[in-house]
Amino acid sequence: MSLTSSQLVNETKEKIKEVAPDEVQRSIKEGQEVRLVDIREREEVMDGYIPNAALIPRGFLELDIEEEVSMDREAPIVLYCAGGTRSALGARDLEFMGYTNVRSMIGGFKGWKDAGFEIEQNGLLSEDDLRRYARHITLPEVGEKGQQKLLKGRVLLVGAGGLGCPTALYLAAAGVGTIGLVDADVVDMSNLQRQVLFGESDIGRPKVEAGKDRLLDLNPGISVNAHYVMLRSENIMDIIEDYDIIVNGCDNFPTRYLVNDAAVLAEKPVVDGSIFRFEGMATVYVPGAGACYRCRYPEPPPPGEVPSCAEGGVLGVLPGIVGVMQATEVIKLILGEGTPLVGRMLAYDAMDMKFREFKQRRDPACPVCGDNPSVTELIDYDQFCGLPSHSEAAG
Ligand SMILES: [Zn+2]
């Protein structure tokens, strides 16, 4: 017996269960479990799809349904395509696999869209992004979904200096979608020994402006916000509000305490790094999940006790290593993969070429993240402790 394609479709639709878009919409609104599966081809999905739908092109439906949607043969699955024909054939094949609660959506994505129901756009990577991030996408721990997380990532770099430069370059290259740079300095000849975002032609320009140009040249697909300001108690909360993760690459104590306290109050993670001469360290502070900076150093040192990088010097490659460690931690936090440096401080000695790890525990008596905090509002330490108030970032 042979069938024309229209006979096949008509016979299939008589055998399977169909559902109208408004009924699907109602079930979602009522909070019923509905596992939507979009079985269109990639190019078709680029224009939009139904929020939370699994995207499995028809050719992979039987192969990927168990892993991507459910092993449970009773799971309530709704398949849709562009107009309701391919999804009918797909439903037939899932029934053949033993799925008992599969329905095909009448009218497909077009019917859903024409009814005015919500759609999700920008959910898939463009052809350009697939090429650009191919080495990420190949990694099972990243994949297209992880790359999308990176593209939605919002990271603020405090300081566009020795640490901020390599961190920014790698985050931009990795496709972290929104990068903020805060720095009140201009590029100086003495920065070029280690601040790899800048060239001689940038001397005299604000670091955040020169950095923005370089990052957008590296990756025009991201957004870079240049904050040409000194972080103070009155502006820091407004600036960090728009970001999910703060990278601290400043090298002065007032800013370090300010960022720590603001992050604890705003409950934002801080990926911290610092360098001095031949040694550096990195750690991650996650409010509620480990120590903060004040757990180790409750109060700033007296003025003049700790030399700045300008006085102490720094090996040019050192911030590269520490900054890239910070970039690595940021990417892991965004992806939700791996073990972050929470509760651990990784110290690096360039002369011995050795890494050491120290445990860091939250101190219940910490002045800001402790059980009875004494620091409940932000403090501008430079106003009374006499440290230089300019924010020469990360040496
Ligand atoms: Zn603390």
Side-chain angles (χ1 to χ4, degrees), residues 15-337:
K15 284 179 195 150
I16 58 132
K17 292 187 278 291
E18 291 188 295
V19 61
D22 55 350
E23 197 181 324
V24 175
Q25 159 81 357
R26 201 163 48 241
S27 311
I28 294 171
K29 278 208 153 169
E30 287 170 2
Q32 292 176 29
E33 196 198 353
V34 182
R35 313 296 296 269
L36 279 162
V37 185
D38 189 323
I39 65 161
R40 295 173 299 160
E41 299 301 313
R42 188 179 178 86
E43 314 81 76
E44 302 177 87
V45 179
M46 294 299 290
D47 292 334
Y49 60 95
I50 301 177
N52 301 317
L55 309 177
I56 311 176
R58 174 69 188 90
F60 293 90
L61 181 61
E62 299 92 321
L63 303 176
D64 290 353
I65 189 78
E66 291 182 334
E67 193 182 335
E68 300 257 334
V69 181
S70 183
M71 303 275 290
D72 176 9
R73 295 305 194 260
E74 267 106 61
I77 295 172
V78 172
L79 303 183
Y80 70 89
C81 56
T85 301
R86 281 173 288 169
S87 57
L89 298 171
R92 174 200 61 185
D93 292 338
L94 290 192
E95 282 181 6
F96 186 70
M97 286 177 78
Y99 286 92
T100 58
N101 194 1
V102 185
R103 290 171 295 170
S104 163
M105 194 168 79
I106 298 162
F109 183 68
K110 187 178 182 306
W112 177 271
K113 208 174 157 189
D114 288 350
F117 298 141
E118 190 189 353
I119 62 168
E120 168 102 38
Q121 276 169 309
N122 306 321
L124 281 187
L125 296 180
S126 66
E127 290 296 317
D128 277 354
D129 281 349
L130 285 176
R131 270 199 300 279
R132 177 180 284 270
Y133 304 116
R135 298 298 182 279
H136 265 170
I137 292 163
T138 309
L139 297 168
E141 293 80 0
V142 184
E144 193 171 350
K145 285 201 177 101
Q147 189 59 52
Q148 286 168 356
K149 286 187 194 171
L150 292 171
L151 286 163
K152 287 178 184 153
R154 306 182 62 85
V155 179
L156 180 70
L157 305 189
V158 177
L163 293 170
C165 285
T167 311
L169 281 170
Y170 275 99
L171 293 183
V176 171
T178 305
I179 296 174
L181 300 174
V182 196
D183 199 297
D185 253 354
V186 296
V187 180
D188 181 80
M189 179 69 98
S190 69
N191 298 148
L192 302 184
Q193 167 250 21
R194 66 207 173 282
Q195 298 184 13
V196 293
L197 260 181
F198 315 120
E200 271 202 29
S201 61
D202 295 315
I203 290 172
R205 294 184 70 199
K207 287 181 177 179
V208 294
E209 296 294 339
K212 178 177 178 173
D213 289 351
R214 173 73 184 99
L215 295 178
L216 291 178
D217 182 45
L218 173 62
N219 190 347
I222 62 167
S223 302
V224 179
N225 303 325
H227 304 277
Y228 187 42
V229 291
M230 207 179 305
L231 278 184
R232 312 284 277 169
S233 58
E234 64 268 18
N235 63 15
I236 187 167
M237 295 310 271
D238 285 342
I239 292 175
I240 66 175
E241 189 182 19
D242 292 335
Y243 300 93
D244 304 321
I245 299 173
I246 302 165
V247 180
N248 201 353
C250 75
D251 84 335
N252 65 84
F253 286 100
T255 306
R256 200 165 283 283
Y257 280 89
L258 184 65
V259 168
N260 180 73
D261 296 351
V264 170
L265 295 176
E267 297 181 3
K268 309 227 176 197
V270 176
V271 178
D272 202 22
S274 64
I275 46 170
F276 184 67
R277 292 170 58 90
F278 303 99
E279 291 169 38
M281 73 96 210
T283 187
V284 178
Y285 301 123
V286 176
C292 82
Y293 184 68
R294 277 193 198 264
C295 290
R296 287 188 71 225
Y297 307 107
E299 297 295 332
E305 190 172 281
V306 179
S308 70
C309 272
E311 294 158 22
V314 62
L315 192 69
V317 294
L318 180 66
I321 291 175
V322 176
V324 172
M325 280 166 25
Q326 289 178 277
T328 310
E329 290 303 297
V330 169
I331 286 170
K332 282 161 55 190
L333 285 179
I334 295 174
L335 293 175
E337 293 284 342

Side-chain angles (χ1 to χ4, degrees), residues 338-356:
T339 308
L341 269 176
V342 176
R344 301 185 288 146
M345 191 192 81
L346 191 60
Y348 169 66
D349 182 330
M351 279 309 202
D352 292 342
M353 196 49 85
K354 274 188 178 154
F355 287 91
R356 282 186 201 85

Side-chain angles (χ1 to χ4, degrees), residues 291-295 362-363 366 368-370:
C292 82
Y293 184 68
R294 277 193 198 264
C295 290
R362 175 180 164 270
D363 179 1
C366 171
V368 65
C369 82

